[in-house]
Amino acid sequence: GPGSNIYTHNSYIKSKHGSGDLKYVLYEPDSPKPDNAPVLLYLHGWGADSTKYYEKMLTHFARKGYIVVYPRLNGTLDINDYETNTKTIFEDALVELQNGDRVAPDFDKVIFSGHSLGTQVLLRMAQTAENHNYPAPKGIILHEAAGAIAMKVFPLGDLGNIDNDTLMVIIARDDWDKDEGTYPIPVSAWHGTEHLKNRNFIVVKSDNSGKPKLRSTHNSIQTDSPLFWERRSVNAIDWYGYWRTTEAAINFALYGQDRQYVLGSGADVTYMGKWNNGKIVKRKEIVSDDVLDRVYRELSNQTIPTLNYE
């Protein structure tokens, strides 16, 4: 199924582009090289611009047949520049992909995904795509959305401007609702997208009942984490927690396939594999609207800023 190590392409082509605050990396599927391919824009978390933190995931999706555009946003650490720079980079990347012997971008098949602060950028970009030279995404996939402190200067904007047919999937870590510094982002994103026809809020659980211990944390999307104690080999957190769910979301948003792996609360959505003794790994949890509404109400005494675009 989606997220497996059965690949459409045997390899990928990685190339670096831009300079200064506008650097980015492209991953293109290869062997066989397609004429064109869907585009996955992936935005990293604050301070994690190196591709090495997400490399195994990025190459996984390239070999699955997607062009991956990875902006490196830490030429400046001023988050006010993140959105402007990302828009410029994405527009430039789409032009670059139409030059020479590259895999051409399929402008009708674009997905936005990202981690931590990157999720705030992509949510804002999705609202204003029609005003820029890049397509609106068919799907938005948030990997451990966070950055509540940054909301005061970098709010989520008017999420109601995102097209009704856009798929949105939020993948959060274990105990996501215990950290006041992070949960306002995914909860506010959920609250602001009630108009979307298809969406899900999925929590990846930790499981220490076997080896390797499966730790679902803020940086679980990274294998080579900036935090040395979180660096690890690829495990079920990747294959089942993030990669399977993300690939299924992409396939459903673009082709109407793999719905059973990403929407609802069925066994295919929550499955995390088995330990070698046959015991099922602790399943993913689907957060209900009632729980999300309650958590959002608890935020009512906090200021959740919004931004009106000109």
Side-chain angles (χ1 to χ4, degrees):
S4 72
N5 62 352
I6 299 174
Y7 292 104
T8 310
H9 302 270
N10 293 321
S11 62
Y12 60 91
I13 297 173
K14 178 180 179 180
S15 57
K16 299 178 181 179
H17 305 269
S19 61
D21 296 345
L22 302 177
K23 293 186 291 186
Y24 64 96
V25 179
L26 294 176
Y27 295 81
E28 301 170 63
D30 196 41
S31 300
K33 184 175 185 176
D35 293 331
N36 59 73
V39 178
L40 171 62
L41 172 66
Y42 197 86
L43 304 185
H44 62 75
W46 189 84
D49 70 317
S50 173
T51 57
K52 70 178 183 179
Y53 303 133
Y54 307 91
E55 187 82 5
K56 292 182 175 62
M57 178 190 65
L58 300 175
T59 58
H60 170 85
F61 284 112
R63 293 184 61 196
K64 286 289 185 171
Y66 312 115
I67 298 168
V68 182
V69 180
Y70 184 88
R72 298 188 61 188
L73 298 177
N74 287 343
T76 172
L77 293 178
D78 184 350
I79 62 173
N80 289 297
D81 294 332
Y82 270 40
E83 181 180 5
T84 300
N85 291 346
T86 302
K87 288 176 178 177
T88 301
I89 287 171
F90 193 37
E91 291 171 352
D92 184 77
L94 293 174
V95 172
E96 175 65 30
L97 286 164
Q98 297 176 75
N99 294 329
D101 190 31
R102 297 200 174 278
V103 178
D106 188 334
F107 289 96
D108 292 326
K109 295 182 173 63
V110 173
I111 297 291
F112 286 3
S113 186
H115 173 224
S116 194
L117 182 62
T119 64
Q120 291 169 256
V121 182
L122 65 88
L123 284 170
R124 288 163 59 110
M125 287 182 63
Q127 300 164 36
T128 60
E130 63 181 18
N131 300 325
H132 297 275
N133 295 319
Y134 59 82
K138 300 294 185 182
I140 298 172
I141 306 153
L142 310 184
H143 292 162
E144 183 47 31
I149 296 174
M151 286 185 74
K152 294 179 180 179
V153 292
F154 201 62
L156 296 185
D158 186 359
L159 299 175
N161 289 329
I162 297 174
D163 187 85
N164 297 0
D165 292 325
T166 307
L167 170 71
M168 189 174 76
V169 178
I170 298 174
I171 307 175
R173 74 178 192 269
D174 205 353
D175 294 331
W176 64 275
D177 55 341
K178 303 297 192 298
D179 185 350
E180 294 181 359
T182 59
Y183 70 68
I185 302 297
V187 172
S188 297
W190 187 264
H191 180 79
T193 55
E194 294 177 340
H195 63 292
L196 300 186
K197 298 175 183 178
N198 293 301
R199 58 185 190 151
N200 211 358
F201 194 117
I202 302 171
V203 176
V204 179
K205 308 294 286 184
S206 296
D207 191 341
N208 297 329
S209 58
K211 290 183 178 181
K213 293 181 178 180
L214 302 178
R215 299 179 64 245
S216 179
T217 70
H218 176 61
N219 293 316
S220 290
I221 191 63
Q222 303 168 335
T223 49
D224 193 349
S225 171
L227 306 175
F228 71 87
W229 58 88
E230 290 197 345
R231 293 171 189 167
R232 57 177 177 76
S233 299
V234 173
N235 61 35
I237 293 287
D238 304 292
W239 293 112
Y240 289 105
Y242 286 94
W243 298 0
R244 185 187 210 194
T245 307
T246 299
E247 186 180 340
I250 294 172
N251 289 343
F252 180 71
L254 300 185
Y255 307 108
Q257 301 172 356
D258 293 333
R259 185 185 194 281
Q260 72 273 25
Y261 293 102
V262 70
L263 292 179
S265 56
D268 286 335
V269 179
T270 60
Y271 186 66
M272 284 289 294
K274 296 179 180 180
W275 297 105
N276 62 5
N277 62 3
K279 181 180 178 181
I280 296 287
V281 175
K282 188 177 292 185
R283 289 183 175 274
K284 296 189 283 284
E285 176 185 277
I286 308 303
V287 186
S288 69
D289 285 332
D290 290 343
V291 170
L292 289 162
D293 288 344
R294 174 183 58 77
V295 176
Y296 187 79
R297 288 195 300 270
E298 293 173 357
L299 294 172
S300 61
N301 62 340
Q302 299 185 31
T303 301
I304 307 295
T306 58
L307 179 65
N308 294 319
Y309 289 95
E310 295 180 355

